[in-house]
């Protein structure tokens, strides 16, 4: 097991270096001069050159990359070109937002997918199964941006209007249209805070991010469970008179969850990317928003910082999944 | 003010706000019809105090006056700063007149135009901390701009070339810029060459009074003490900004600058534009200058514009920004080396159609070089057709030019909507006079860089420019003086380098007052008149869009800075 872990860790370091190098080179190749952006549009070439020197942009790319790695080793991701804020601070502030979104959505999609998937597998081709498959089709087909906009319009805006399609009703507030509240409490200038407000503001984003994944996982759980149900050891357990609930819990689910756990590790990483769209729709100041906004501004240190941070998360998530997988199925580590 | 970070700003201008289009807002109405400026004279019954909630969609840079450069932060600093001279909170032309604010009078300018002396009575204004504003407050402000350790790139771009001793200033403790001296209540600014634009430059936030203890910090101070109607109580990047009423605010200059609200809370700095519009409609938010959905502009103007169907006061405002959108015609290349061909382009482009492609309310068609906010614009005469095309005139000019058609011209534009749509219209317009346009699309930042590189093979650049400060110099000299076109990072995208034009621009910059305005207006007019150089085909003025909830009133659309936050109030009964 130790060798396995060391091997995985070494691969993680190589992967991390590769990601940062590729990202760095891509930004270097874009024919936009960040120094000019930082200096202002009326700056003279001499002034732009001065800024370039200050920002370390007048060195060869390999020196810039080594400088970046050197700073990284010392825990410094650099400073934004656009507002000179520490990238560490920016990420520190944005990461909890994205984590709140992704973890909450992941719990929600598993909470939806596992029971529905198992139910469908146990009762294939029933009305309930067909309804579940209908949900799967809709969930996979609908785009999260569309769903987010429609959900916030219908569930957050319309109730406050007191009428919809000519039908009148007392206006009320069901969900906030957008925004984020800190879990710990409201910071100065922020309108809300605390666990209740935090969850209340995230219900719609969680639902919108989770729905597509939930649909996919229903299918995954269903097919995996059906496959395990047909295994000899399940038949044997039943023949031995093991109660159905115990067969399901100890024999079916434990084995059916292997592909789900694998996919879950990957999808947490994918959900980070999906979170970009949700954060934009619901105005959440998370990593996705920060990354996209920095791209618009050619604010490379911030983009690179988010990429580095996301890479670490994805690599760690995969590492955890690998270890979890090895724990669930000891044959993995032996191979 | 209407300048921001290069790409953000110029993308907005050139793209006519890319977002404007993304909403498919090509509605039918004239984009200029929505106007309407809130006037200081129409103050509704209101309550003093209260808090309003404001949202932005991400365009915030610094709260530090030495570093701030985005439109949204200049809007904040307009209502938090006290300057030597400033604009009054009035709309239209009156809002573009500079008056003494912290200074007791306009500066005494020496006959050679090299020395500006301000008298700053100490304590007329006070920071929110209680510290009095003195001449040193401005000395420190300007020296922060020029201090290499502060790295105020934007401030130093404007001030360093003209202030004596600025280039030698190292920012050591106790060191002062030789050209910025204080004696008693006198602040003397000495220049190395006459710069009549200095007055305008010193009405920007770079000349905002700062506390004597304000540190030099190249990361920027988040909550600098302020002496204006409001101060910045807190700022959390990407999260929130809180402005509170300055407890020591007195309208000492007699500007009648109000501060009705207790607090202005920017509760969201990452607002989605679709959602922001809904939130203002249902009252969850009170105001946004940018978190608004372009797809909604037509409907919002119809419901909440100057003659809105929803009744009540105007809540939706479309007003021109201090910016110009134009086609830079590359005079260094064969296609447009002949001024008559460039003149022909100006008669052939359909400005209303091009404006409409940018979306409802995005652009007001125009053919002027100088936006209306800029002194000199009134003196600039209209020469080219604004509401239509004059194909006969255009064809006649092409004939006079004696060029062999068809001419092939490469148009550089951005790759975000509505640039490609606009390019298609320009292509169609110019085909009618024998110019075949080849469109090349780039990311806006890439386009800007390429066009600023000498020898780049483009003939037309779809360009825009936002004022850094309210002076014609910032448009005409910066963009058309060809005497020092650099190999890269240039701004003269038409590559015009005419000694006579350069001399006229230099001369105009030595003038002040009406003479200056007339000189710049004449230069712009002459560029367009028969025989003129016609380096551009100006196509319009981009607009600012503002939307308020029903409970906010008293808005003053300040003639230079747009909506003045300090004028907002909560209507009675809200």
């Amino acid at each position: 097991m130790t060798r396995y872990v060391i091997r995985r860790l070494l691969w993680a370091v190589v992967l991390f270096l590769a990601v940062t190098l590729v990202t760095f080179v891509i930004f270097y190749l874009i024919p936009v001069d960040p120094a000019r952006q930082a200096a202002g549009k009326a700056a003279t070439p001499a002034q732009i050159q001065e800024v370039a020197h200050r920002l370390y942009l007048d060195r060869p790319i390999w020196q810039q990359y080594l400088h970046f790695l050197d700073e990284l080793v010392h825990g410094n991701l650099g400073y934004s070109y656009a507002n000179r804020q520490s990238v560490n601070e920016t990420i520190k502030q944005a990461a909890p937002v994205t984590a709140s979104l992704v973890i909450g959505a992941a719990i929600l999609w598993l909470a939806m997918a596992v029971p529905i998937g198992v139910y469908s597998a146990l009762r294939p081709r029933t009305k309930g199964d067909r309804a579940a498959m209908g949900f799967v089709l809709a969930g996979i087909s609908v785009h999260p941006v569309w769903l987010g906009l429609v959900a916030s319009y219908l569930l957050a805006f319309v109730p406050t209007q007191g009428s919809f399609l000519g039908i009148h009703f007392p206006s009320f507030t069901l969900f906030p249209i957008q925004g984020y509240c800190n879990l710990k409490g409201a910071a100065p200038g922020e309108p809300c805070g605390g666990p209740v407000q935090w969850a209340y503001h995230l219900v719609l984003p969680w639902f919108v991010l989770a729905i597509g994944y939930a649909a996919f996982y229903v299918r995954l759980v269903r097919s995996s469970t059906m496959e395990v149900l047909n295994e000899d050891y399940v038949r044997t357990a039943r023949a031995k008179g093991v109660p159905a609930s115990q067969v399901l819990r100890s024999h079916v689910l434990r084995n059916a969850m292997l592909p789900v756990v694998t996919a879950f590790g990957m999808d947490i990483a994918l959900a980070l990317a999906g979170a970009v769209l949700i954060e934009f729709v619901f105005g959440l100041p998370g990593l996705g928003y920060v990354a996209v906004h920095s791209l618009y501004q050619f604010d490379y240190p911030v983009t690179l910082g988010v990429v580095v941070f996301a890479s670490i998360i994805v690599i760690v998530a995969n590492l955890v999944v690998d270890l979890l997988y090895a724990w669930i199925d000891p044959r993995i580590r032996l191979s | 003010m209407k300048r921001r970070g290069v790409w953000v700003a110029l993308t907005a201008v050139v793209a006519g706000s890319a977002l404007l289009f993304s909403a498919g807002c090509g509605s039918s109405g004239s984009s200029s019809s929505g106007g309407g400026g809130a006037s200081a004279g129409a103050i509704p019954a209101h309550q003093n105090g209260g808090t309003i909630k404001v949202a932005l969609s991400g365009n915030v840079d610094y709260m530090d006056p030495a570093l701030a450069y985005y439109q949204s932060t200049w809007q904040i600093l307009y209502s938090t700063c006290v300057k030597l001279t400033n604009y009054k909170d009035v709309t239209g032309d009156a809002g573009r007149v500079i008056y003494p604010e912290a200074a007791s009078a306009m500066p005494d300018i020496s006959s050679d135009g090299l020395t500006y002396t301000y008298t700053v009575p100490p304590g007329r204004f006070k920071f929110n901390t209680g510290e009095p504003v003195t001449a040193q407050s401005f000395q420190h402000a300007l020296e922060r701009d020029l201090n290499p350790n502060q790295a105020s790139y934007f401030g130093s771009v404007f001030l360093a070339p003209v202030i004596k001793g600025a280039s030698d200033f190292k920012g050591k403790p106790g060191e002062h810029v030789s050209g910025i001296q204080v004696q008693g209540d006198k602040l003397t600014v000495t220049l190395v060459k006459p710069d009549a634009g200095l007055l305008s430059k010193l009405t920007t936030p770079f000349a905002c009074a700062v506390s004597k203890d304000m540190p030099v910090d190249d990361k920027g101070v988040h909550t600098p003490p302020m002496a204006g109607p409001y101060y910045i109580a807190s700022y959390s990047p990407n999260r929130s900004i809180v402005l509170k009423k300055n407890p020591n605010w007195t309208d000492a200059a007699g500007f009648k600058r109000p501060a009705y609200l207790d607090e202005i809370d920017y509760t969201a700095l990452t607002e989605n534009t679709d959602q922001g519009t809904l939130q203002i409609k249902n009252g969850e938010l009170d105001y946004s200058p940018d978190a608004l959905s372009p797809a909604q502009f037509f409907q919002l103007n119809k419901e909440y514009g100057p003659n809105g169907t929803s009744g009540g006061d105007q809540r939706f405002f479309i007003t021109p920004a201090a910016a110009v959108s134009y086609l830079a015609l590359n005079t260094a290349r064969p296609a447009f080396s002949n001024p008559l061909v460039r003149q022909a382009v100006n008669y052939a482009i359909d400005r209303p159609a091009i404006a409409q492609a940018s979306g409802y309310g995005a652009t007001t068609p125009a053919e002027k070089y100088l936006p209306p906010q800029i002194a000199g614009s009134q003196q600039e005469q209209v020469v080219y057709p604004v509401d239509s095309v004059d194909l006969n005139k255009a064809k006649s000019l092409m004939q006079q030019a004696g060029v062999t058609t068809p001419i092939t011209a490469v148009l550089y534009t951005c790759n975000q909507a509505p640039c490609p749509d606009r390019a298609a219209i320009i292509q169609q317009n110019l085909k009618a006079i024998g110019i075949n346009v080849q469109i090349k699309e780039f990311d806006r930042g890439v386009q800007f860089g390429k066009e600023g590189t000498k020898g780049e093979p483009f003939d037309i650049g779809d360009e825009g420019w936002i004022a850094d400060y309210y002076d014609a110099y910032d448009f005409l000299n910066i963009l058309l003086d060809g005497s020092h076109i650099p190999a890269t990072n240039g701004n003269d995208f038409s590559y015009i380098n005419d000694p006579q034009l350069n001399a006229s621009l230099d001369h105009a910059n030595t003038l002040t007052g009406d003479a200056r305005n007339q000189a710049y207006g004449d230069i712009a007019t002459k560029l367009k008149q028969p025989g003129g150089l016609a380096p551009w085909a100006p196509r319009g003025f981009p607009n600012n869009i503002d939307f308020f909830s029903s409970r906010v009133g008293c808005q003053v659309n300040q003639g230079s800075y747009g909506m003045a936050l300090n004028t907002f109030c909560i209507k009675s009964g809200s």
Side-chain angles (χ1 to χ4, degrees), chain B residues 27-32 348-359 363-366 385-389 422 425 429 538-540:
Chain B
S27 52
S28 54
S30 159
S31 58
S32 61
I349 58 169
D350 187 345
R351 292 177 171 85
I354 295 169
Q356 194 171 321
S358 299
T363 308
T364 301
V386 176
D387 298 324
S388 60
V389 296
R422 221 165 36 218
I425 295 171
N429 289 162
R539 58 173 179 78

Side-chain angles (χ1 to χ4, degrees), chain B residues 10 13-14 323-329 346 349 351 354 363 366-369 411-412 422 426 444 447-448 451 460-466 475 478-480 490-494 535-542:
Chain B
L10 295 179
V13 174
V14 172
V324 63
S325 300
Y326 63 96
L327 303 180
L329 305 174
N346 273 285
I349 58 169
R351 292 177 171 85
I354 295 169
T363 308
E367 57 80 71
K368 285 191 174 185
Y369 282 60
L411 166 67
Y412 278 14
R422 221 165 36 218
I426 294 163
R444 175 61 185 143
Q447 179 203 348
F448 192 75
E451 289 171 5
I460 308 173
D462 189 2
E463 272 304 330
W465 191 259
I466 300 177
F475 284 80
I478 293 283
L479 301 175
L480 294 171
N491 288 321
D492 182 354
F493 299 125
S494 64
W536 296 356
R539 58 173 179 78
F541 300 135

